[in-house]
Amino acid sequence: MRVDGVIDMSCPSVDAAARLAEWSSRGPRYTSYPSATELGPISIPSVLHTLRQIGRASDPVSLYVHIPFCRSLCAYCGCNVIPTRDVSRGPGYVDHIATELAVLAGPRFAAPISEIALGGGSPNFLEPEAMRVLIRAIEHTFEVLPDARRSIELDPRSTTDAQVDALAALGFRSLSVGVQDFDKSVQDAIRRHQSTVQTRRLVERARAAGFTDLNLDIVYGLPRQTETSFTQTLEAVIDLAPDRVALFGYAHLPDRLPHQRLVERAGRVLDRYERATLLLLAIERFTTAGYVHLGLDHFARPGSRLARAAAARRMVRTFQGYIERAAETVLGVGTSAISSTPTMIWQNHTDLPAWQTAIASGRLPIARGLVLDDDDRARAAVIGGLMCDGEVDLGTLAARFGIDPDTYFARELTELRQLSELASYDAATRTIQTTADGRLLVRNVCMVFDRYLKPDSARHSSTI
Ligand code: SF4
């Protein structure tokens, strides 16, 4: 065990941590392929054309609404956030969202909505009445299916009972709560103070109000985390009996996110070996507690929606992490929101005034995007299979994309042989299979198939 910064080499997980540290590098998180970092100039008429096609079909669509406001900025944050305590900004923001929905849908959008997801930022920045106005605007603009999944991220430090009750009355049943770490010293370092009592109170209130699906987010790799302190956080998380846990590696990118310099000032950012040690510790604790390890870094109760979706190979990796597939198309509204269709990805303006100005003049508030070709879709299928299932049958691509995978991916399959500790290719079954280590370093395996990857990887986070 690591005690006061000393690693005990007799611990059996030391070898595994050393191997993971040695093989890890920096790379995309593959919450989409191509990664959002590859988006560039895009023609708005081509997006409008895509929207009209989606709207004419009967395939369901997921709707993501980004609420960018937070009452304070956590030092480790990697999201698109506007720190403010002025909650009177909420209703005006919702008015702009309502207009954006109308512009997005146009006059004849018939595709039904199978999921409404509210993320941020802190969606609970919206007071109950603003939240009701937002949901009414969505239901007025689109046909929302009766069984549509309604999910929201809530901050236990600022969510009121009235908000929880209002959300339950609006049909929300899925809840995601950020924990990150319960240790006081770590919380000092990341400037986010949240007690177990606050968190438990929100969880119990939400359950009493009718929420049935609880996810907790935790983060490894933060300064001041030790095996002892992280074990206590893991035990406290398990004690809250979440249906799902998302375990994220801290993405320290201070050149892109200057406020993360505050994290550095508070303590040394953990190295790859220490990160691997904490990751292995969390896997051991959650699986011992009966959770199923899904994909790279999620855990779910056996029989939960996500565990069932994973077993049926319906789990997908998105900007929100691993979720059960609700639709092929995700439409994102709000600042910085990303939309993803089988033929195109685009992102809204991150800058609030630019987003507002576009909407006020009846334009889609899109900043950048990418038109996908067959090569993108074939590689996305490979990367998605690896990220979600740890394996992919290249044979299925032959029929779907009209390619001979052995020829088409000849370079990649040769390169894969250099990563035999992480993955192997069985030419007889045409299946790529990750090893136990490769499952945790699956981003490295995916990087082999990423045609956009550039040698300069400083803009990406650690793959462990
Ligand atoms: S509450 Fe979440 S989104 Fe807001 S600043 Fe903290 S980490 Fe970022």
Side-chain angles (χ1 to χ4, degrees), residues 1-3 6-19 227 231 273 276-278 280-281 284:
M1 295 287 282
R2 179 173 181 269
V3 181
V6 178
I7 304 286
D8 174 359
M9 297 299 285
S10 65
C11 175
S13 65
V14 164
D15 282 350
R19 286 197 310 272
E227 286 189 50
T231 299
Y273 180 79
T277 303
L278 295 184
L280 292 169
L281 176 67
E284 192 273 327

Side-chain angles (χ1 to χ4, degrees), residues 328-348:
E328 288 284 348
T329 292
V330 179
L331 297 181
V333 293
T335 57
S336 77
I338 294 177
S339 298
S340 168
T341 80
T343 59
M344 204 177 271
I345 301 176
W346 67 86
Q347 181 173 29
N348 280 356

Side-chain angles (χ1 to χ4, degrees), residues 70 72-74 76-77 81 121-122 155 157 192:
C70 285
S72 61
L73 182 61
C74 307
Y76 68 95
C77 182
V81 166
S122 301
D155 184 340
R157 300 170 300 167
R192 180 190 172 103

